[in-house]
């Protein structure tokens, strides 16, 4: 019998803990934890993400500083803003909503965020620290997956983990986090020779592909834990994951649903990273 890892429920409980910590921070430092969010342009999805992030800040007692810049913003203007926020003592975390317009050098902008304020964990320094197994701010979605695994005490050490997808925001940091937790990790991608064989070896299978119902029951080992990071639309326009949930679930010991699985954890882990960044900066 499979068990669902309920991301909505876990997210609510983690946010409760973050709210308590944010309050403790305020009592100690006489100010709120601060998160600066920069949105360039009017992309619909990005606007929704930013709105949800600001709402989450309000919910846990983190002060948000929102900056809305036009699509036409110049590279040097954006750089100046990030530099100013880097020096701002009230700002513990800086988030630049991606994607940035094509005329902006996104790598250069992310590189200006001090490593200790890079709460998205996307900078080369934080990714490098993660790769070296050092303390860092890890990318929010994979960090959320780790929190989900830990919440159910799912063994990771010595287990075989297979991550399908190698993007810099999900697959790659996911594989590194699992490796740092002592799993034996295989990373699969579009050039993997025998994907089914790799997936069938997984005690923990993480799908981060971006293709609806891509992971089918014949690719999953009996009693595996299956984590579905995908967010896709099916043929009826309904939100669905990368895993064919209905047919896969009965083979699993644990499985995450879509919606209500990994998705709700991502913004929660952004709040978590901001909290960690603030406590580290103030050496509490
Ligand atoms: P991405 O940048 O498009 O990366 C997709 C990865 O899947 C690539 O590494 C690609 O391989 C691999 N892939 C594609 N087709 C494959 C195939 N046939 N066999 C094996 N591997 C294949 O996507 P992403 O940004 O990582 O996102 C992945 C999914 O997660 C999307 O559905 C996205 O919406 C979702 N997501 C969810 C959250 C959340 O909060 N829940 C956050 C971020 C993303 P190559 O590298 O070889 O091209």
């Amino acid at each position: 019998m499979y068990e669902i890892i309920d991301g909505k429920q876990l997210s609510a409980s983690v946010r409760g803990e973050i709210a308590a910590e944010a309050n403790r921070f305020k009592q100690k430092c006489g100010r709120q934890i601060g998160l600066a969010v920069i949105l360039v342009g009017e992309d619909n999805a990005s606007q929704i993400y930013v709105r949800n992030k600001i709402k989450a800040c309000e919910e846990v007692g983190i002060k948000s500083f929102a900056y809305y810049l036009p699509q036409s913003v110049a590279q040097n203007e954006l750089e100046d803003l990030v530099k100013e926020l880097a020096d701002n003592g009230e700002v513990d975390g800086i988030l630049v909503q991606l994607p940035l317009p094509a005329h902006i050098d996104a790598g250069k902008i992310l590189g200006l965020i001090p490593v200790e304020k890079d709460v998205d964990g996307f900078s080369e320094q934080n990714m490098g620290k993660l790769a070296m197994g050092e303390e860092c701010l890890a990318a929010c979605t994979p960090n959320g997956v780790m929190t989900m695994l830990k919440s159910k005490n799912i063994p990771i050490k010595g287990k075989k983990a297979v991550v399908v997808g190698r993007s810099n925001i999900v697959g790659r940091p996911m594989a590194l986090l699992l490796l740092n937790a002592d799993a034996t990790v295989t990373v699969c991608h579009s050039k993997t020779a025998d994907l089914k064989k790799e997936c069938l070896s997984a005690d923990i299978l993480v799908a981060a592909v971006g293709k609806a119902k891509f992971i089918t029951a014949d690719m999953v080992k009996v009693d595996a834990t299956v984590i579905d990071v995908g967010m896709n639309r099916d043929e009826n326009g309904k939100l669905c994951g990368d895993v064919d949930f209905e047919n896969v679930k009965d083979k699993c010991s644990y499985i995450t649903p879509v919606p209500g699985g990994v998705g709700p954890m991502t913004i929660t882990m952004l709040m978590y990273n901001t909290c960690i960044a603030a406590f580290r900066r103030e050496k509490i």
Side-chain angles (χ1 to χ4, degrees):
M1 185 60 191
Y2 67 92
E3 189 179 331
I4 289 206
I5 313 177
D6 183 335
K8 237 174 141 175
Q9 202 177 62
L10 180 60
S11 176
S13 121
V14 175
R15 282 190 195 195
E17 288 168 30
I18 295 169
E21 284 300 289
N23 190 39
R24 189 165 74 86
F25 181 92
K26 195 174 159 192
Q27 304 304 325
K28 274 205 123 116
C29 299
R31 68 168 179 94
Q32 277 180 286
I33 294 173
L35 173 65
V37 182
I38 303 173
L39 174 63
V40 178
E42 290 177 2
D43 175 72
N44 222 349
S46 294
Q47 283 178 331
I48 295 170
Y49 289 139
V50 164
R51 206 181 305 138
N52 288 339
K53 286 167 188 176
I54 289 170
K55 215 172 112 199
C57 282
E58 282 163 17
E59 193 187 312
V60 299
I62 289 176
K63 184 173 177 183
S64 60
F65 302 83
Y67 298 87
Y68 301 98
L69 305 176
Q71 181 81 8
S72 59
V73 70
Q75 175 83 23
N76 64 326
E77 257 180 276
L78 190 50
E79 284 180 16
D80 288 348
L81 174 59
V82 175
K83 283 181 199 159
E84 190 188 309
L85 295 169
D87 292 336
N88 186 331
E90 281 190 62
V91 170
D92 300 291
I94 303 171
L95 180 144
V96 179
Q97 185 64 44
L98 299 176
L100 287 168
H103 69 276
I104 299 285
D105 180 345
K108 191 160 181 215
I109 298 294
L110 294 184
L112 291 171
I113 302 175
V115 64
E116 67 277 10
K117 292 191 180 188
D118 171 32
V119 286
D120 247 347
F122 291 160
S123 69
E124 285 174 10
Q125 293 108 308
N126 262 319
M127 283 287 273
K129 279 171 177 277
L130 185 63
M132 304 283 274
E134 290 172 17
E135 189 177 79
C136 64
L137 294 165
C140 299
T141 300
N143 212 1
V145 171
M146 296 306 286
T147 304
M148 295 179 100
L149 294 172
K150 284 175 194 153
S151 76
K152 295 289 179 190
N153 294 316
I154 294 166
I156 301 174
K157 191 176 182 171
K159 295 295 172 186
K160 181 78 200 283
V162 174
V163 179
V164 189
R166 58 174 166 180
S167 73
N168 287 342
I169 61 167
V170 190
R172 222 171 273 258
M174 183 75 255
L176 290 168
L177 281 166
L178 287 162
L179 180 64
N180 293 348
D182 295 328
T184 302
V185 184
T186 300
V187 186
C188 299
H189 46 78
S190 66
K191 310 293 183 293
T192 296
D194 191 343
L195 183 66
K196 181 175 164 182
K197 178 172 153 244
E198 302 296 347
C199 290
L200 274 171
S201 72
D203 300 306
I204 299 168
L205 178 61
V206 182
V209 187
K211 291 191 170 154
K213 301 179 189 178
F214 181 76
I215 302 290
T216 46
D218 60 332
M219 298 166 86
V220 175
K221 184 165 96 170
V222 171
D223 285 341
T225 291
V226 175
I227 306 287
D228 191 351
V229 181
M231 285 207 296
N232 317 293
R233 296 278 164 193
D234 69 9
E235 57 280 7
N236 304 312
K238 223 178 114 200
L239 191 64
C240 73
D242 287 345
V243 176
D244 181 7
F245 182 88
E246 277 312 313
N247 294 308
V248 166
K249 63 182 186 336
D250 291 313
K251 285 186 94 172
C252 303
S253 54
Y254 293 93
I255 187 165
T256 64
V258 178
V262 176
M265 292 301 293
T266 297
I267 293 183
T268 296
M269 297 317 287
L270 173 67
M271 300 298 111
Y272 174 83
N273 273 356
T274 308
C275 205
I276 296 281
F279 276 82
R280 281 189 192 149
R281 279 188 67 239
E282 297 288 355
K283 299 189 173 50
I284 302 173

